[in-house]
Amino acid sequence: MDWTTIIISLGGALLTGGGALSLLYYKENRRAKQIDNEKSVVEEWRGIAEERKARCDELKESLDRKDAKIDALYKENSELRKRNDKLSSANTALSILKCKVLGCDKRQPPFGKNENCES
């Protein structure tokens, strides 16, 4: 037996025994690793999406609370305006009826002439 026959025999044994299978499994292993990588990327994006959704819900709740507070302040503001209008009207009426003459002999303005003003 010469060296070429021995080398060819060993090469054939390797290729037919484990070499061919290793070539077949290489593609499968590569594809499995790609699938694992894709799964990890998808899980990462799902986590990010869930965090964003949770943050969005928190912001909506905060906005709802602020809207409720703004509505309450508008209601309070309208009540204070009504009160201010009533007091302003009462003040105007009283300033019209106010006696401008100190002695009250000749009442100015002439409302209630028959009444005596006692200071």
Side-chain angles (χ1 to χ4, degrees):
M1 247 203 276
D2 58 354
W3 288 101
T4 56
T5 309
I6 294 172
I7 292 175
I8 290 174
S9 299
L10 287 174
L14 286 175
L15 285 178
T16 56
L21 290 177
S22 67
L23 290 175
L24 291 175
Y25 284 122
Y26 175 74
K27 287 184 179 180
E28 290 179 21
N29 285 338
R30 192 170 113 200
R31 181 66 184 148
K33 287 179 184 177
Q34 285 177 343
I35 290 172
D36 288 339
N37 286 340
E38 289 173 3
K39 284 181 184 178
S40 66
V41 169
V42 167
E43 289 299 320
E44 228 176 286
W45 280 107
R46 280 189 186 155
I48 291 171
E50 289 174 3
E51 289 174 7
R52 299 287 291 180
K53 185 176 179 183
R55 180 67 178 144
C56 184
D57 291 341
E58 289 174 5
L59 291 174
K60 284 181 183 178
E61 290 174 6
S62 173
L63 188 61
D64 290 342
R65 283 193 309 270
K66 289 178 183 178
D67 285 343
K69 187 171 185 174
I70 288 171
D71 291 340
L73 290 174
Y74 271 121
K75 185 177 179 181
E76 182 183 351
N77 193 11
S78 69
E79 291 173 5
L80 290 174
R81 283 180 193 263
K82 287 178 187 177
R83 181 177 174 222
N84 190 23
D85 289 342
K86 287 179 184 178
L87 291 175
S88 178
S89 299
N91 188 25
T92 304
L94 291 173
S95 68
I96 290 172
L97 298 175
K98 180 181 176 184
C99 181
K100 296 179 183 174
V101 178
L102 294 177
C104 286
D105 291 339
K106 296 180 182 178
R107 183 168 171 80
Q108 294 292 328
F111 295 110
K113 249 185 176 178
N114 296 334
E115 296 176 8
N116 221 355
C117 181
E118 297 178 15
S119 303

